Amino acid sequence: MLSQPMASPLHMHLSHLANTLGSYLYRYGSEVQLHEAMAKVLAQAGVTHAREHILDPRNRADFWIDGLVIEVKVDGTLAEALRQVDRYIQLPQVTGVLLASTQRWADKPLVQRPSWGGKPFQMIRLARQTL
């Protein structure tokens, strides 16, 4: 009988963040307003985070949580978002990335990529609240 490998604490933390953020409906008119709403959700969940965290001269994370990056996309293509994720993953101080988008392409999780460069990676679609 084969057993499943145990998820690392980083994978579990990233999954917890994805579940927490993914369980809300967001009302926003801009990416900045979406960030503000997400920051409230994280704070209510007791997650200490920094917004607009500078990783290096070329990269700034939307949210930084002890080495984990949350990148938020309200527009753009999946390919563009994944190029940005790849830049983050290559940085030594980044321990994992959660790509959170309002775009339809985020509906299908990249199950073939539970980790990227040996670091945990997840993608979720954030739902919009209707009026």
Side-chain angles (χ1 to χ4, degrees), residues 1 6 25 27 29 51 55 59 63 82 94 96-97 107 110 112-114 116:
M1 180 166 138
M6 288 190 61
L25 300 175
R27 186 184 322 182
R51 289 178 55 192
L55 300 169
N59 296 290
F63 290 91
L82 294 179
V94 173
V97 176
D107 271 338
L110 300 177
Q112 75 279 15
R113 192 166 267 191
W116 189 332

Side-chain angles (χ1 to χ4, degrees), residues 51-114:
R51 289 178 55 192
E52 301 297 324
H53 180 79
I54 296 172
L55 300 169
D56 68 13
R58 188 173 169 220
N59 296 290
R60 182 178 58 212
D62 292 330
F63 290 91
W64 174 260
I65 302 166
D66 246 355
L68 294 175
V69 168
I70 300 174
E71 180 58 29
V72 182
K73 292 294 180 196
V74 296
D75 55 22
T77 68
L78 175 58
E80 291 167 338
L82 294 179
R83 278 193 294 275
Q84 190 168 8
V85 168
D86 188 59
R87 284 199 325 263
Y88 294 161
I89 288 287
Q90 303 306 320
L91 298 172
Q93 69 270 38
V94 173
T95 58
V97 176
L98 172 62
L99 176 58
S101 178
T102 59
Q103 295 295 302
R104 285 196 174 128
W105 49 253
D107 271 338
K108 293 191 175 189
L110 300 177
V111 293
Q112 75 279 15
R113 192 166 267 191

